[in-house]
Amino acid sequence: AQSVTQLGSHVSVSEGALVLLRCNYSSSVPPYLFWYVQYPNQGLQLLLKYTSAATLVKGINGFEAEFKKSETSFHLTKPSAHMSDAAEYFCALTTGTASKLTFGTGTRLQVTL
Amino acid sequence: GAVVSQHPSWVICKSGTSVKIECRSLDFQATTMFWYRQFPKQSLMLMATSNEGSKATYEQGVEKDKFLINHASLTLSTLTVTSAHPEDSSFYICSARDIQGKGYTFGSGTRLTVV
């Protein structure tokens, strides 16, 4: 069975500081990994995805994530946080073109002045 | 980019009535659509997977007679909450996967409140 673990249900950073949201996965086959952002009362917006090409994936709004097979991780980073980054972030995994997404429990990012 | 339109964005209904939520892929064909339920401050819980022209596959514990899913075309899937009760109040989100299997696009969600 596959699973996604997001360490830290709540992360708080100062504006301009580094953002690091952690995601670890478990899968018996090569995974496809995604990061989504959700603003209150809205659906999910794709930030970036890993589909077995380059291990360092760049996404929208300055976010990027690195796939590390040895660590089974796919952490999300952004060099400088902005107030507009405050939202809920979900890491998700699927294992094939016909598979459903498995979500982590989410991390709420708070950005303070 | 791919867009999924979900309506209504919010709905209030009386206990015992039925509510239909629509999910449309606007600029691509979606062979597979997913329906999720999200409780406050929690992750998304997959309710069912629907494939165009076939019966939906429900996750364990989801009542198929209560949550009716129809995927009649490659661009439209509907979720009908039948005989709604206050415990059905939640945020429902759909997601569509395109024919090429390039990714998952989410609707904007529907806030259902049953009074």
Side-chain angles (χ1 to χ4, degrees):
Chain A
Q2 59 207 40
S3 66
V4 176
T5 301
Q6 289 184 242
L7 296 175
S9 59
H10 183 251
V11 171
S12 182
V13 300
S14 299
E15 189 174 35
L18 171 72
V19 175
L20 171 61
L21 304 182
R22 300 179 186 275
C23 173
N24 287 88
Y25 69 90
S26 174
S27 176
S28 58
V29 299
Y32 299 111
L33 294 159
F34 305 78
W35 273 102
Y36 289 92
V37 61
Q38 184 182 32
Y39 296 97
N41 292 311
Q42 294 188 27
L44 275 65
Q45 180 183 9
L46 179 67
L47 284 176
L48 49 81
K49 61 182 177 182
Y50 167 76
T51 56
S52 74
T55 55
L56 181 62
V57 182
K58 294 187 183 298
I60 63 172
N61 301 339
F63 285 95
E64 64 180 38
E66 186 172 8
F67 175 73
K68 292 187 176 180
K69 184 179 179 179
S70 61
E71 300 176 9
T72 61
S73 69
F74 190 58
H75 301 332
L76 181 71
T77 61
K78 181 174 180 177
S80 177
H82 191 272
M83 295 297 289
S84 60
D85 295 327
E88 188 83 20
Y89 291 80
F90 292 97
C91 181
L93 172 155
T94 186
T95 57
T97 56
S99 296
K100 59 188 179 185
L101 281 173
T102 298
F103 282 92
T105 51
T107 298
R108 181 167 298 277
L109 175 65
Q110 181 182 16
V111 182
T112 59
L113 291 173
Chain B
V3 177
V4 170
S5 174
Q6 184 174 344
H7 291 282
S9 56
W10 61 270
V11 58
I12 301 173
C13 71
K14 291 184 177 180
S15 186
T17 61
S18 295
V19 174
K20 179 183 285 187
I21 302 170
E22 289 190 351
C23 182
R24 293 180 183 271
S25 56
L26 297 185
D27 50 2
F28 67 100
Q29 293 181 320
T31 51
T32 305
M33 289 190 175
F34 305 89
W35 287 95
Y36 297 86
R37 183 173 181 175
Q38 186 178 30
F39 292 101
K41 299 185 179 181
Q42 293 190 27
S43 188
L44 281 72
M45 180 190 77
L46 180 65
M47 299 173 66
T49 302
S50 72
N51 293 294
E52 184 266 337
S54 62
K55 291 184 178 180
T57 301
Y58 290 81
E59 296 296 303
Q60 191 172 8
V62 178
E63 298 177 63
K64 62 179 65 177
D65 293 332
K66 181 167 191 60
F67 298 100
L68 301 179
I69 292 172
N70 183 277
H71 192 164
S73 76
L74 285 172
T75 59
L76 174 64
S77 177
T78 60
L79 167 67
T80 302
V81 182
T82 63
S83 187
H85 288 92
E87 57 265 31
D88 299 325
S89 299
S90 192
F91 193 60
Y92 294 88
I93 306 175
C94 69
S95 173
R97 186 177 182 92
D98 60 34
I99 285 181
Q100 292 80 19
K102 291 184 178 179
Y104 305 80
T105 303
F106 286 81
S108 55
T110 298
R111 172 75 57 192
L112 170 63
T113 301
V114 185
V115 297

